[in-house]
Amino acid sequence: MTGSVGDEREPVGMLTGTAADPVDMLTGAAADALRVTAGRAAGVYLCSRTPELLRLAVLAGLPGSLFRPWWRMSVDRPFPVADAQRLHVPVVLANATETMRRYPQFAAGLPFQFGTLAVPVMAEGRAFGVLTVIRAPAADAGEVLAARERLTLVADGLADALLRREAQGGAVTWDDEPLCVRPPFAGAPAERVGHLAWDPTTGAVTADESARALLGLPPDERPDDVVSLARAVEPTDARRLPDLLREAAQGRPPPRPVQVRTADGGLRLLELWAPGTHTSSLVTGVLLDPGPGALADGAADLLPEGVFCLDRLGLVVYCNSRAAHLLGVERSRLLGRSLWEAVPWLNQASCEEHLRGALLSPEPVHFHVRRPGPEADDRSSGPRPYEGDWLSMAAYPGPDLLTCTAVPANRVVDEADGRSAAAAAADTDTEALAPDAAASTAPLYRPIVLAIALTEAVTARQVSAVVMHELLPAFGGRRLAIYLLQERHLYLAWETGFPEGFLAPFEGVALDARLPGVETLTTGRPLFFDSMQQLADSYPGIPLDATEGARAFLPLIASGRPVGSCILGFDRPRSFSSEERTVLTALAGLIAHAMEKAQRYDTEAALARGLQQALLPRRLSRHARVETAGRYLPGTEGMMVGGDWYDVVEAGDGLALVIGDVQGHGVQAAATMGQLRSAVRAFALGDRPPEEVLGGTNHLLIDLDPGQFASCCYVRLDPASGLARVANAGHPPPLLRHPDGRTQVVDLPEGVVLGVDARAHYPVAELCLEPGAILALYTDGLVERPGHDIDDGITALRTALAAAGAPPGRPLADVADRLTATARQATDRPDDIAVLLATPLPW
């Protein structure tokens, strides 16, 4: 599967089993997603060949350039699409308030009023990607849930089609830029734009569905030639249509849209383009219903405001002469082209942000934009009577078209406070860029997005991952290296994109080395090189990789203290605008503070892990007639230190098996765990009955009053008889595997968790373990998953225990490894995991 930005395909209908073209599968799914959810934009993300990376394959309803920061999505990012892929559950965000609460980083990047649906594309346990929709905010929960169910049906259809394609040997991954497709028209005819084409050689006329609707033709009637096209309009216009087409074919199209009346009297504007303007041999054009107002009166070119219309792919489909005059571009260079291609100086972050908001939210947007002076862009021969000053612009969203107006800023008044727009623009306006920003090739990054993302990163590795996922793509970078300062030497903490081994010679360099990564830190000044040749000229003899791209070296300095340096690499030469240099320097400060905090955290975490290892048993007590095995896996979130523990203690002539889980994580949980483990061991060594062991431990925890509670399961096993007496304090029930492979959940009378009720009583249950049977104790981290019932997790563990085999054919340690294998490979374990297995041996 491949694609490119700007590919425009008419979306197909609901997916069927016969869809052979993979592009049709994807564009059809996006079109169906918009239709069934009344969405504004839809996207299909697919897995790429890079592990744990999703790529946007299809985008419907938005220009691709406006969605560029979200073309690539790591599955471990805190974003709706990533969570839907990683957790295999739909993510439903009804409105902007819920989005900000659950995904502040996502909300900061798209700060508009909309709701989001993200549904995994799954079949037979395979997660191919995610189908996502951006839609209007909803106040009714039932409406959102109904939309989710309809979207799930579309996602299931796409998953089945991809599964069949995979079975036939076709690729189901995506590694190219996204296909950008025009969504099905959603508005009434008064809000539509249609497309026409006439072949001067054959006389054939083609018209899309919208054009036929605007002409009042039945859906099954097509204007195949000029005669049938003329029948759809008034007689007067029918007589002049052939002449207009012939003149356009000879290179003399009408200088402005022509008013045409349909047979029923409706006003349309017809814009024609000569062959060679947009195609090789056809006369092409657009048919627009301007709707009520000044345009409908035929006075568009007399309006003092500039008016132009964009479709949902950002193509200019209508433009009056005043808009062309104000934008400084001839109308022939505007119509039918992308706004950003035709007017390059509008390709700046502030303008893109406003237009993105108008396309995604129902409210109009108003903003100011400064036009460049004559030196900034000399590619247009259009007039520039107001070069270098400001325009006041507005964008009014519609289901199919975005209608924009433009006037000189000194001719309007800011409705918010009565000031002139020129005065408002002269104030500190963070959304208006200076003229030289037009030279930038990358949108300026929103610092709040990185700041929010960094608040969720606690380790140096997590901080580096955030920089890689957030900062690098935003500026079009491909390479990243982060060095941290230790004892006046720089050591590599993270790298991505560089050739293998290329950075090895720079490891541990001293602060007196003449290298850009060192000097940016010692001087505190960022260094920017537009090309590798420029870098080589400044640092003769420095090793270079094979690319010719630009480099940025940023100092990481927090509160005046040097932390390290950050290197951004680009595949191609490029310049850095003054705004980009300012933003990158500010972002480096954010990264430095996050890294400094992460280094302190890593030090504290190492101490905590040492404490926890000291508290867990180094070896389990042994008995000649009982085999035991235990496993502990720390959580991957936070300090990876928690309160899960297990132990095996000699209790008279038997063994005590104990497993517990202290609420929470961190040093406090580990310390409380150590106190409880010591208490249980003391009671067990005295061979106290199970109910007294838990009762005494409960009183101890209440007396300590650490503000925490704990669950615990205590088993006193008599190896001679196989009798096990079990008491439980709010802990998940043990599992028992019989020698014949049957498994069961041990039904226990459950007592309350420890540390809550001083009067709590812990009843005891008895069961008999045959030689070869396995008793499995575990903590909830092994069986709980977000969005799933814990009973489902216990059932899955029973199935794994049944399939794991039993001694003497398989060592019990091997069984423990098999039960924890999936959890061990997971990168996102939100909770600790402890497992303790015991089996009586044959006499």
Coordinates of all heavy atoms in Angstrom, one line a residue, residues 713-792:
C713 N -3.1 -13.2 51.1 CA -3.6 -14.6 51.1 C -2.6 -15.5 51.8 O -1.4 -15.4 51.4 CB -3.9 -15.1 49.7 SG -4.7 -16.8 49.7
Y714 N -3.0 -16.2 52.9 CA -2.1 -17.0 53.7 C -2.5 -18.4 53.7 O -3.7 -18.8 53.9 CB -2.1 -16.4 55.1 CG -1.1 -17.1 56.1 CD1 0.2 -16.7 56.2 CD2 -1.5 -18.3 56.8 CE1 1.1 -17.3 57.0 CE2 -0.6 -18.9 57.6 CZ 0.7 -18.4 57.7 OH 1.6 -19.1 58.6
V715 N -1.5 -19.3 53.3 CA -1.8 -20.7 53.2 C -0.8 -21.5 54.1 O 0.4 -21.3 54.0 CB -1.6 -21.3 51.8 CG1 -1.9 -22.7 51.7 CG2 -2.5 -20.5 50.8
R716 N -1.4 -22.3 55.0 CA -0.6 -23.2 55.9 C -0.7 -24.6 55.3 O -1.8 -25.2 55.3 CB -1.0 -23.1 57.3 CG 0.0 -23.5 58.3 CD 0.3 -25.0 58.4 NE 1.2 -25.4 59.5 CZ 1.6 -26.7 59.7 NH1 1.2 -27.7 58.9 NH2 2.4 -26.9 60.7
L717 N 0.4 -25.1 54.7 CA 0.4 -26.4 54.0 C 1.1 -27.5 54.8 O 2.2 -27.3 55.3 CB 1.0 -26.3 52.6 CG 1.2 -27.6 51.8 CD1 -0.2 -28.1 51.4 CD2 2.0 -27.3 50.5
D718 N 0.4 -28.6 55.0 CA 1.0 -29.8 55.6 C 1.4 -30.7 54.5 O 0.6 -31.4 53.9 CB -0.1 -30.5 56.5 CG 0.5 -31.7 57.2 OD1 1.7 -32.0 57.1 OD2 -0.3 -32.4 57.9
P719 N 2.7 -30.8 54.2 CA 3.2 -31.6 53.1 C 2.9 -33.1 53.3 O 2.8 -33.8 52.3 CB 4.7 -31.4 53.2 CG 4.9 -30.1 53.9 CD 3.8 -30.1 54.9
A720 N 2.8 -33.6 54.5 CA 2.6 -35.0 54.7 C 1.2 -35.4 54.3 O 1.0 -36.5 53.6 CB 2.7 -35.4 56.2
S721 N 0.2 -34.6 54.6 CA -1.2 -35.0 54.2 C -1.7 -34.2 53.0 O -2.7 -34.6 52.4 CB -2.1 -34.7 55.4 OG -2.1 -33.3 55.7
G722 N -1.0 -33.2 52.6 CA -1.5 -32.4 51.5 C -2.6 -31.4 51.9 O -3.2 -30.7 51.1
L723 N -2.9 -31.3 53.2 CA -4.0 -30.5 53.7 C -3.5 -29.0 53.7 O -2.4 -28.7 54.2 CB -4.4 -30.9 55.1 CG -5.5 -30.0 55.7 CD1 -6.8 -30.1 54.9 CD2 -5.7 -30.3 57.2
A724 N -4.3 -28.1 53.1 CA -4.0 -26.7 53.1 C -5.1 -25.9 53.8 O -6.3 -26.1 53.4 CB -3.8 -26.2 51.6
R725 N -4.7 -25.1 54.7 CA -5.7 -24.3 55.4 C -5.4 -22.8 55.0 O -4.3 -22.3 55.1 CB -5.6 -24.4 56.9 CG -5.7 -25.8 57.4 CD -5.7 -26.0 58.9 NE -6.9 -25.4 59.5 CZ -7.0 -24.3 60.3 NH1 -5.9 -23.7 60.6 NH2 -8.1 -23.9 60.8
V726 N -6.4 -22.2 54.4 CA -6.3 -20.9 53.7 C -7.1 -19.8 54.4 O -8.3 -20.1 54.6 CB -6.6 -21.0 52.2 CG1 -6.3 -19.8 51.5 CG2 -5.9 -22.2 51.6
A727 N -6.6 -18.6 54.6 CA -7.3 -17.5 55.0 C -7.0 -16.3 54.0 O -5.9 -16.2 53.6 CB -6.9 -17.1 56.4
N728 N -8.0 -15.5 53.7 CA -7.9 -14.5 52.7 C -8.4 -13.2 53.2 O -9.4 -13.1 53.8 CB -8.7 -14.9 51.5 CG -8.4 -14.1 50.2 OD1 -7.3 -13.5 50.2 ND2 -9.2 -14.1 49.3
A729 N -7.6 -12.1 52.9 CA -7.9 -10.8 53.3 C -8.0 -9.9 52.0 O -7.1 -9.2 51.7 CB -6.9 -10.2 54.2
G730 N -9.2 -10.0 51.3 CA -9.4 -9.2 50.2 C -8.5 -9.5 49.0 O -8.4 -8.6 48.1
H731 N -7.9 -10.6 48.9 CA -7.0 -10.9 47.8 C -7.6 -11.7 46.7 O -8.6 -12.5 47.0 CB -5.7 -11.6 48.4 CG -4.5 -11.6 47.5 ND1 -3.7 -10.4 47.5 CD2 -4.0 -12.4 46.7 CE1 -2.7 -10.6 46.7 NE2 -2.9 -11.9 46.1
P732 N -7.2 -11.7 45.5 CA -7.7 -12.5 44.4 C -7.6 -14.0 44.8 O -6.6 -14.4 45.4 CB -6.8 -12.2 43.2 CG -6.4 -10.8 43.4 CD -6.2 -10.7 44.9
P733 N -8.6 -14.8 44.5 CA -8.6 -16.2 45.0 C -7.5 -17.1 44.3 O -7.2 -16.8 43.1 CB -10.0 -16.7 44.6 CG -10.4 -15.8 43.4 CD -9.8 -14.5 43.7
P734 N -7.0 -18.0 45.0 CA -5.9 -18.9 44.4 C -6.6 -19.8 43.3 O -7.8 -19.9 43.2 CB -5.5 -19.8 45.6 CG -6.0 -19.1 46.8 CD -7.2 -18.3 46.4
L735 N -5.7 -20.3 42.5 CA -6.1 -21.3 41.5 C -5.5 -22.6 41.8 O -4.4 -22.7 42.3 CB -5.6 -20.8 40.1 CG -6.2 -19.5 39.5 CD1 -5.6 -19.2 38.1 CD2 -7.7 -19.5 39.5
L736 N -6.2 -23.7 41.5 CA -5.7 -25.0 41.7 C -5.7 -25.8 40.5 O -6.8 -25.9 39.8 CB -6.6 -25.7 42.8 CG -6.2 -27.2 43.1 CD1 -4.7 -27.2 43.7 CD2 -7.2 -27.8 44.1
R737 N -4.6 -26.3 40.1 CA -4.5 -27.2 38.9 C -4.3 -28.6 39.4 O -3.4 -29.0 40.1 CB -3.3 -26.9 38.0 CG -3.2 -27.7 36.7 CD -1.9 -27.4 36.0 NE -1.9 -28.0 34.7 CZ -1.6 -29.3 34.4 NH1 -1.4 -30.2 35.4 NH2 -1.6 -29.7 33.1
H738 N -5.3 -29.5 39.0 CA -5.2 -30.9 39.4 C -4.2 -31.6 38.6 O -3.9 -31.2 37.5 CB -6.6 -31.5 39.3 CG -7.6 -30.9 40.3 ND1 -7.7 -31.2 41.6 CD2 -8.6 -29.9 40.1 CE1 -8.7 -30.5 42.2 NE2 -9.2 -29.7 41.3
P739 N -3.8 -32.8 39.0 CA -2.8 -33.5 38.2 C -3.3 -33.9 36.8 O -2.5 -34.1 35.9 CB -2.6 -34.8 39.1 CG -2.9 -34.4 40.5 CD -4.0 -33.4 40.4
D740 N -4.6 -34.0 36.7 CA -5.1 -34.4 35.3 C -5.3 -33.2 34.4 O -5.8 -33.3 33.3 CB -6.4 -35.1 35.4 CG -7.5 -34.3 36.2 OD1 -7.2 -33.1 36.5 OD2 -8.6 -34.8 36.4
G741 N -4.9 -32.0 34.9 CA -4.9 -30.8 34.0 C -6.1 -29.9 34.3 O -6.2 -28.8 33.8
R742 N -7.1 -30.4 35.0 CA -8.3 -29.6 35.3 C -7.9 -28.4 36.3 O -7.0 -28.6 37.1 CB -9.4 -30.4 36.0 CG -10.1 -31.4 35.1 CD -11.1 -32.2 35.9 NE -10.6 -32.9 37.1 CZ -10.8 -32.6 38.3 NH1 -11.6 -31.5 38.6 NH2 -10.3 -33.3 39.3
T743 N -8.5 -27.3 36.1 CA -8.2 -26.1 36.9 C -9.5 -25.6 37.6 O -10.6 -25.8 37.0 CB -7.5 -25.0 36.2 OG1 -8.4 -24.5 35.1 CG2 -6.2 -25.4 35.6
Q744 N -9.3 -25.0 38.7 CA -10.5 -24.4 39.4 C -10.1 -23.2 40.2 O -8.9 -23.0 40.5 CB -11.2 -25.4 40.3 CG -10.3 -25.7 41.6 CD -11.0 -26.6 42.5 OE1 -10.9 -27.9 42.3 NE2 -11.7 -26.1 43.5
V745 N -11.0 -22.3 40.3 CA -10.8 -21.2 41.3 C -11.2 -21.6 42.6 O -12.3 -22.1 42.9 CB -11.7 -20.0 40.8 CG1 -11.5 -18.8 41.8 CG2 -11.3 -19.5 39.4
V746 N -10.3 -21.5 43.6 CA -10.5 -22.0 45.0 C -11.5 -21.0 45.6 O -11.3 -19.8 45.7 CB -9.2 -22.0 45.8 CG1 -9.6 -22.5 47.2 CG2 -8.2 -23.0 45.1
D747 N -12.7 -21.6 46.0 CA -13.7 -20.8 46.6 C -13.4 -20.5 48.1 O -13.4 -21.5 48.9 CB -15.1 -21.5 46.4 CG -16.3 -20.6 46.9 OD1 -16.1 -19.4 47.0 OD2 -17.4 -21.2 47.1
L748 N -13.2 -19.3 48.5 CA -12.8 -19.0 49.8 C -13.8 -18.0 50.4 O -14.3 -17.1 49.7 CB -11.4 -18.3 49.9 CG -10.2 -19.2 49.4 CD1 -9.0 -18.3 49.4 CD2 -10.0 -20.4 50.2
P749 N -14.0 -18.1 51.7 CA -14.7 -17.0 52.4 C -13.8 -15.8 52.6 O -12.7 -16.0 53.1 CB -15.1 -17.6 53.8 CG -14.1 -18.7 54.0 CD -13.7 -19.2 52.6
E750 N -14.2 -14.7 52.1 CA -13.3 -13.6 51.9 C -13.4 -12.6 53.1 O -14.5 -12.2 53.5 CB -13.6 -12.8 50.6 CG -12.5 -11.8 50.3 CD -12.7 -11.2 48.9 OE1 -12.7 -12.0 48.0 OE2 -12.8 -10.0 48.8
G751 N -12.3 -12.3 53.7 CA -12.2 -11.3 54.8 C -11.9 -9.9 54.2 O -11.4 -9.8 53.1
V752 N -12.0 -8.9 55.0 CA -11.7 -7.5 54.5 C -10.2 -7.3 54.4 O -9.5 -8.1 55.0 CB -12.3 -6.5 55.4 CG1 -13.8 -6.6 55.5 CG2 -11.7 -6.5 56.8
V753 N -9.8 -6.4 53.6 CA -8.4 -6.1 53.5 C -7.8 -5.7 54.8 O -8.5 -5.2 55.7 CB -8.2 -5.0 52.4 CG1 -8.6 -5.5 51.0 CG2 -8.9 -3.7 52.8
L754 N -6.5 -5.8 54.9 CA -5.8 -5.5 56.1 C -5.7 -4.0 56.3 O -5.5 -3.2 55.3 CB -4.4 -6.1 56.1 CG -4.3 -7.6 55.9 CD1 -2.8 -8.0 55.8 CD2 -5.0 -8.4 57.0
G755 N -5.8 -3.5 57.5 CA -5.6 -2.1 57.8 C -6.8 -1.2 57.8 O -6.7 0.0 57.8
V756 N -8.0 -1.9 57.8 CA -9.2 -1.1 57.7 C -10.1 -1.3 58.9 O -10.5 -0.3 59.5 CB -10.1 -1.6 56.4 CG1 -11.4 -0.9 56.4 CG2 -9.3 -1.2 55.2
D757 N -10.3 -2.5 59.4 CA -11.2 -2.8 60.5 C -10.5 -3.6 61.5 O -10.1 -4.7 61.3 CB -12.5 -3.5 60.0 CG -13.5 -3.8 61.0 OD1 -13.3 -3.3 62.2 OD2 -14.5 -4.4 60.7
A758 N -10.3 -3.0 62.7 CA -9.6 -3.7 63.8 C -10.4 -4.9 64.3 O -9.8 -5.8 64.9 CB -9.3 -2.7 65.0
R759 N -11.7 -5.0 64.1 CA -12.5 -6.1 64.5 C -12.7 -7.2 63.5 O -13.5 -8.1 63.6 CB -13.9 -5.6 65.0 CG -13.8 -4.6 66.2 CD -15.2 -4.0 66.4 NE -15.6 -3.2 65.3 CZ -16.7 -2.5 65.2 NH1 -17.6 -2.6 66.2 NH2 -17.0 -1.8 64.1
A760 N -12.0 -7.0 62.4 CA -12.2 -8.0 61.2 C -11.8 -9.4 61.6 O -10.9 -9.6 62.4 CB -11.3 -7.5 60.1
H761 N -12.6 -10.3 61.1 CA -12.4 -11.8 61.3 C -12.1 -12.4 60.0 O -12.6 -12.1 59.0 CB -13.7 -12.4 61.9 CG -13.6 -13.9 62.1 ND1 -12.7 -14.5 62.9 CD2 -14.3 -14.9 61.5 CE1 -12.8 -15.8 62.9 NE2 -13.8 -16.1 62.0
Y762 N -11.1 -13.4 60.0 CA -10.7 -14.0 58.8 C -10.9 -15.5 58.8 O -10.1 -16.2 59.4 CB -9.2 -13.7 58.6 CG -8.9 -12.2 58.4 CD1 -8.5 -11.4 59.5 CD2 -9.1 -11.6 57.2 CE1 -8.3 -10.1 59.4 CE2 -8.9 -10.2 57.1 CZ -8.5 -9.4 58.2 OH -8.4 -8.1 58.1
P763 N -12.0 -15.9 58.3 CA -12.4 -17.4 58.3 C -11.4 -18.2 57.5 O -10.7 -17.7 56.6 CB -13.8 -17.4 57.7 CG -13.9 -16.2 56.9 CD -13.1 -15.1 57.6
V764 N -11.3 -19.5 57.8 CA -10.4 -20.4 57.2 C -11.1 -21.4 56.4 O -12.1 -22.0 56.8 CB -9.5 -21.0 58.2 CG1 -8.5 -22.1 57.6 CG2 -8.7 -20.0 59.0
A765 N -10.6 -21.7 55.2 CA -11.1 -22.8 54.4 C -10.0 -23.9 54.2 O -8.8 -23.6 54.3 CB -11.5 -22.3 53.0
E766 N -10.5 -25.1 54.0 CA -9.5 -26.2 53.8 C -9.7 -26.9 52.4 O -10.8 -26.9 51.9 CB -9.7 -27.3 54.9 CG -9.5 -26.8 56.3 CD -9.6 -27.9 57.3 OE1 -10.1 -29.0 57.0 OE2 -9.2 -27.7 58.5
L767 N -8.5 -27.3 51.9 CA -8.5 -28.0 50.7 C -7.4 -29.0 50.7 O -6.4 -28.8 51.5 CB -8.4 -27.1 49.4 CG -7.2 -26.3 49.2 CD1 -6.9 -26.1 47.7 CD2 -7.2 -25.0 49.9
C768 N -7.5 -30.0 49.9 CA -6.4 -31.1 49.8 C -5.7 -31.0 48.5 O -6.3 -31.0 47.4 CB -7.0 -32.4 50.0 SG -5.8 -33.8 50.2
L769 N -4.3 -31.0 48.6 CA -3.5 -30.9 47.4 C -2.9 -32.3 47.2 O -2.2 -32.8 48.0 CB -2.4 -29.9 47.6 CG -2.7 -28.5 47.8 CD1 -1.5 -27.6 47.9 CD2 -3.7 -27.9 46.8
E770 N -3.2 -32.9 46.0 CA -2.6 -34.2 45.7 C -1.2 -34.0 45.1 O -0.9 -32.9 44.6 CB -3.5 -34.9 44.6 CG -4.9 -35.1 44.9 CD -5.7 -35.6 43.7 OE1 -5.4 -36.8 43.3 OE2 -6.5 -34.9 43.2
P771 N -0.4 -35.0 45.2 CA 1.0 -34.9 44.6 C 0.8 -34.5 43.1 O 0.0 -35.2 42.4 CB 1.6 -36.2 44.8 CG 0.9 -36.7 46.1 CD -0.5 -36.2 46.0
G772 N 1.5 -33.6 42.6 CA 1.4 -33.2 41.2 C 0.5 -32.0 41.0 O 0.5 -31.5 39.9
A773 N -0.4 -31.7 42.0 CA -1.3 -30.6 41.8 C -0.5 -29.3 42.0 O 0.6 -29.3 42.7 CB -2.4 -30.7 42.8
I774 N -0.9 -28.2 41.5 CA -0.3 -26.9 41.6 C -1.2 -25.9 42.2 O -2.3 -25.7 41.7 CB 0.2 -26.4 40.2 CG1 1.2 -27.3 39.6 CG2 0.8 -25.0 40.4 CD1 1.6 -26.9 38.2
L775 N -0.8 -25.3 43.3 CA -1.5 -24.2 43.9 C -0.9 -22.9 43.4 O 0.3 -22.7 43.6 CB -1.5 -24.3 45.4 CG -2.3 -23.2 46.2 CD1 -3.8 -23.4 45.9 CD2 -2.1 -23.3 47.7
A776 N -1.7 -22.0 42.8 CA -1.1 -20.7 42.3 C -1.7 -19.6 43.0 O -2.9 -19.4 43.1 CB -1.5 -20.6 40.8
L777 N -0.8 -18.8 43.6 CA -1.2 -17.5 44.3 C -0.6 -16.4 43.4 O 0.5 -16.5 42.9 CB -0.6 -17.5 45.7 CG -0.9 -18.6 46.6 CD1 -0.2 -18.4 48.0 CD2 -2.3 -18.8 46.8
Y778 N -1.3 -15.3 43.3 CA -0.9 -14.2 42.4 C -1.5 -12.9 42.9 O -2.5 -12.9 43.7 CB -1.4 -14.5 41.0 CG -2.9 -14.8 40.9 CD1 -3.8 -13.7 40.7 CD2 -3.4 -16.1 41.2 CE1 -5.2 -14.0 40.7 CE2 -4.8 -16.3 41.2 CZ -5.6 -15.3 40.9 OH -7.0 -15.5 40.9
T779 N -1.0 -11.8 42.4 CA -1.5 -10.5 42.7 C -2.3 -10.0 41.5 O -2.2 -10.5 40.4 CB -0.4 -9.5 43.0 OG1 0.5 -9.4 42.0 CG2 0.3 -9.9 44.3
D780 N -3.2 -9.0 41.7 CA -4.1 -8.6 40.7 C -3.4 -8.0 39.4 O -4.1 -7.9 38.4 CB -5.1 -7.6 41.2 CG -4.5 -6.3 41.9 OD1 -3.3 -6.2 41.7 OD2 -5.2 -5.5 42.5
G781 N -2.2 -7.6 39.5 CA -1.5 -7.0 38.4 C -1.4 -8.1 37.2 O -1.2 -7.7 36.1
L782 N -1.5 -9.3 37.6 CA -1.4 -10.4 36.5 C -2.7 -10.6 35.8 O -2.7 -11.1 34.7 CB -0.9 -11.7 37.2 CG -0.6 -12.9 36.3 CD1 0.5 -12.5 35.3 CD2 -0.3 -14.1 37.1
V783 N -3.8 -10.2 36.4 CA -5.1 -10.6 35.8 C -5.9 -9.3 35.5 O -7.0 -9.5 34.9 CB -5.9 -11.5 36.7 CG1 -5.2 -12.9 36.8 CG2 -6.1 -10.9 38.1
E784 N -5.5 -8.2 35.8 CA -6.3 -7.0 35.5 C -5.7 -6.3 34.3 O -4.5 -6.1 34.1 CB -6.2 -6.0 36.7 CG -7.3 -6.3 37.8 CD -7.4 -5.2 38.8 OE1 -6.4 -4.5 39.0 OE2 -8.5 -5.0 39.4
R785 N -6.7 -5.8 33.4 CA -6.3 -5.0 32.3 C -7.3 -3.8 32.2 O -8.5 -4.1 32.4 CB -6.4 -5.8 31.0 CG -5.1 -6.7 30.7 CD -5.3 -7.4 29.4 NE -5.4 -6.4 28.3 CZ -5.9 -6.7 27.1 NH1 -6.2 -7.9 26.8 NH2 -6.0 -5.8 26.2
P786 N -6.9 -2.6 31.8 CA -7.8 -1.5 31.7 C -8.9 -1.8 30.7 O -8.6 -2.3 29.6 CB -6.9 -0.4 31.2 CG -5.5 -0.7 31.7 CD -5.5 -2.2 31.6
G787 N -10.1 -1.6 31.1 CA -11.2 -1.8 30.2 C -11.7 -3.2 30.1 O -12.7 -3.6 29.4
H788 N -11.2 -4.1 31.0 CA -11.6 -5.6 31.0 C -12.0 -6.0 32.4 O -11.4 -5.5 33.4 CB -10.5 -6.5 30.4 CG -10.1 -6.2 29.0 ND1 -10.7 -7.0 28.0 CD2 -9.3 -5.3 28.4 CE1 -10.2 -6.5 26.8 NE2 -9.4 -5.5 27.0
D789 N -12.9 -6.9 32.4 CA -13.3 -7.4 33.7 C -12.2 -8.4 34.3 O -11.6 -9.1 33.6 CB -14.6 -8.2 33.6 CG -15.3 -8.5 34.9 OD1 -14.7 -9.4 35.6 OD2 -16.3 -7.9 35.2
I790 N -12.0 -8.3 35.6 CA -10.9 -9.1 36.2 C -11.2 -10.6 36.1 O -10.3 -11.4 36.0 CB -10.7 -8.7 37.7 CG1 -9.5 -9.3 38.3 CG2 -12.0 -9.0 38.5 CD1 -9.1 -8.9 39.6
D791 N -12.5 -10.9 36.1 CA -12.9 -12.3 35.9 C -12.4 -12.9 34.6 O -12.0 -14.1 34.5 CB -14.4 -12.5 36.0 CG -14.9 -12.3 37.4 OD1 -14.1 -12.4 38.4 OD2 -16.1 -11.9 37.6
D792 N -12.4 -12.0 33.6 CA -11.8 -12.5 32.3 C -10.3 -12.8 32.4 O -9.8 -13.7 31.8 CB -12.1 -11.4 31.2 CG -13.6 -11.2 30.9 OD1 -14.3 -12.2 31.2 OD2 -13.9 -10.1 30.4

